Amino acid sequence: DVEFEVLAISLDTSAVNYNQAIEEHALNWINYNDLKAWDSQPAIDYSIYATPSMFLLGTERVILARPTSVSELRKALEKLP
């Protein structure tokens, strides 16, 4: 079995809307938002140009896969040792 953590990076600009969405959808993984939207450091560092964007990162923050759908994410997870 592959062990992993989910990190969600939001590009919201409203803290109220961001916190409400986390509570409403019970997002119980790691959530991050600096309220800078497209100017946030993660958006810049990972060249995020659309949402949602998904990345499968290795332990050293190396991008292992950049799936564009949940089915692609599942396939990438299945390929992990």
Side-chain angles (χ1 to χ4, degrees):
D1 289 338
V2 176
E3 291 187 32
F4 64 92
E5 286 189 85
V6 173
L7 165 63
I9 298 172
S10 172
L11 298 181
D12 283 306
T13 56
S14 166
V16 172
N17 291 347
Y18 170 71
N19 291 324
Q20 185 177 33
I22 290 172
E23 186 176 320
E24 181 179 322
H25 298 290
L27 305 178
N28 59 353
W29 46 70
I30 302 167
N31 292 283
Y32 172 82
N33 185 354
D34 61 9
L35 302 175
K36 294 180 182 177
W38 298 102
D39 294 324
S40 70
Q41 201 59 52
I44 294 165
D45 289 348
Y46 289 102
S47 301
I48 296 173
Y49 57 88
T51 60
S53 293
M54 294 182 276
F55 301 87
L56 182 57
L57 303 178
T59 55
E60 299 298 318
R61 296 187 202 152
V62 174
I63 298 174
L64 303 175
R66 194 169 179 167
T68 58
S69 66
V70 173
S71 64
E72 284 185 19
L73 177 60
R74 285 187 180 127
K75 288 177 186 176
L77 288 169
E78 288 171 0
K79 291 180 182 178
L80 293 177

